Amino acid sequence: PRKLTHHIFVKTSLIYMLKMYATYTQKHGVPDVLHAQNIFFGGILGSFLKKKEDIPLVITEHSSIFLTQTNKSWEMKYITSVLKTADKVLTVSPVLAEALNTFEASCSISVLGNIVDTDYFVPPEKQLAPSPFIFSSVGFLKKIKRFDLLIRAFKRSFQAKNVLLYIAGEGNQREALENLVNELELKSQIKLLGQLEREDVRKLIQKSHVVVSSSSTETFGVTLVEATACGKPIIATRCGGPESIVDEQNGILVPINDVVALTNAMKKMIETWANYNSEQIRAKCITRFGESAIIGQLEHIYHDLLR
């Protein structure tokens, strides 16, 4: 039966992870605090170890399955059990915290964003020329990212103008997106760059005027925060995570799946781009998502648990 197969898979995964944990403790000793990234499967291991060895457990959940409600029925008992067992539950955005609370209403959930390396993602050395105006977007090429919407929004106002769009990433939508670009006669203005190394992602952001996220669902928005670390204004859909990142100082929010609203935001950004303060955008990013800010909050959480 499928339910039994899932149970065996979880049990096998747990056995494998316990062997890794044993290797770790032989070298470093028993940890003071366990911190699992996601319920599946680090949280399941952490829950088991907390009960077995009485070690405080922190969970940080990132997964979009809780927003898209694509959880499988066999997963429910594990989700509820881990949430009940954890001493502290964190999510990367308020909307994800709300979604998790539907599984376990009694669970107190705090929001703590992802760390962004603000020493690595920095503004470009030279100021960008106003033309050609470059939009960029980075992510897996899958339906949930709605790159097709972004391409159609671009088509509405920027065809045959000195405006470019670079899309970085790989995925099962690559061929469909290439066909769409060709069909809309935008091949000279829109480039699908494929999967980029981290350094090339930084270079792409630095040479862009604006970074765009057109997703229908996001739990956070790492690329958006990397863009603000580089002092870049951003455009994003109200798809979950971006609402806690984008504000009037750094960009524009638009409804999901709305090609007209996205087009208008891109047009407005070209008109107002010079008014955004790169230094202020970066400074706020460092305050909220820089290494010192996030680690400081984590250390406070760990010390509270140990007390």
Side-chain angles (χ1 to χ4, degrees):
R2 184 170 294 180
K3 183 179 289 187
L4 182 59
T5 302
H6 293 145
H7 177 70
I8 292 172
F9 174 70
V10 172
K11 187 173 182 179
T12 303
S13 300
L14 184 59
I15 291 171
Y16 177 72
M17 289 187 289
L18 284 171
K19 289 181 179 179
M20 292 194 296
Y21 175 76
T23 301
Y24 172 88
T25 55
Q26 287 174 5
K27 185 175 181 180
H28 301 286
V30 176
D32 297 304
V33 177
L34 299 167
H35 192 156
Q37 303 292 328
N38 292 328
I39 292 170
F40 294 99
F41 286 90
I44 295 174
L45 173 64
S47 180
F48 179 87
L49 291 173
K50 174 184 165 54
K51 294 173 183 176
K52 180 174 181 290
E53 302 192 24
D54 195 27
I55 304 172
L57 172 63
V58 180
I59 303 286
T60 296
E61 186 55 64
H62 306 257
S63 179
S64 62
I65 62 172
F66 299 102
L67 297 185
T68 56
Q69 298 181 338
T70 52
N71 310 92
K72 300 176 178 63
S73 58
W74 66 269
E75 296 174 335
M76 298 304 179
K77 70 172 185 178
Y78 293 106
I79 296 169
T80 302
S81 175
V82 171
L83 291 176
K84 285 182 176 179
T85 303
D87 297 284
K88 185 69 176 179
V89 178
L90 306 170
T91 64
V92 293
S93 63
V95 69
L96 186 53
E98 292 175 11
L100 274 186
N101 266 139
T102 63
F103 292 88
E104 181 52 49
S106 64
C107 182
S108 176
I109 302 174
S110 300
V111 176
L112 185 62
N114 288 316
I115 293 177
V116 172
D117 189 344
T118 54
D119 291 329
Y120 186 80
F121 287 94
V122 296
E125 293 181 1
K126 297 181 180 179
Q127 186 174 354
L128 295 181
S131 183
F133 197 93
I134 299 174
F135 292 100
S136 67
S137 190
V138 182
F140 293 112
L141 304 187
K142 52 185 182 180
K143 285 186 178 181
I144 200 172
K145 299 296 185 178
R146 290 310 313 268
F147 287 115
D148 60 316
L149 184 83
L150 178 57
I151 292 169
R152 293 186 185 281
F154 186 94
K155 162 78 172 180
R156 291 176 62 88
S157 288
F158 306 122
Q159 188 167 28
K161 295 183 179 179
N162 202 15
V163 183
L164 304 175
L165 170 62
Y166 294 123
I167 298 174
E170 199 55 79
N172 58 19
Q173 292 291 296
R174 175 69 183 260
E175 184 177 352
L177 293 173
E178 287 177 338
N179 291 338
L180 180 61
V181 170
N182 290 333
E183 175 190 327
L184 298 179
E185 299 180 345
L186 293 169
K187 197 171 181 180
S188 63
Q189 291 176 269
I190 298 180
K191 305 295 182 185
L192 272 64
L193 306 176
Q195 189 69 36
L196 299 183
E197 297 295 330
R198 188 166 181 251
E199 182 179 355
D200 292 322
V201 170
R202 179 179 63 175
K203 289 179 179 178
L204 174 61
I205 293 173
Q206 288 174 335
K207 75 176 185 179
S208 302
H209 293 81
V210 178
V211 173
V212 186
S213 172
S214 51
S215 298
S216 57
T217 302
E218 289 282 358
T219 58
F220 186 60
V222 171
T223 303
L224 294 174
V225 180
E226 290 171 347
T228 59
C230 295
K232 303 293 182 176
I234 51 183
I235 298 172
T237 51
R238 296 182 181 275
C239 61
E243 285 96 309
S244 61
I245 298 171
V246 185
D247 56 30
E248 290 182 357
Q249 188 183 73
N250 65 20
I252 302 173
L253 279 169
V254 299
I256 62 169
N257 304 325
D258 189 331
V259 68
V260 175
L262 184 55
T263 301
N264 290 339
M266 294 170 77
K267 288 168 62 179
K268 183 178 180 180
M269 191 60 80
I270 290 180
E271 296 167 359
T272 62
W273 170 79
N275 299 332
Y276 285 92
N277 188 310
S278 176
E279 292 180 359
Q280 289 181 2
I281 291 174
R282 174 171 166 78
K284 189 168 185 177
C285 173
I286 292 172
T287 300
R288 295 190 63 199
F289 305 111
E291 184 176 304
S292 296
I294 302 298
I295 289 179
Q297 293 179 71
L298 284 174
E299 287 179 340
H300 182 75
I301 290 168
Y302 296 158
H303 285 306
D304 277 351
L305 291 178
L306 293 173
R307 280 197 295 267

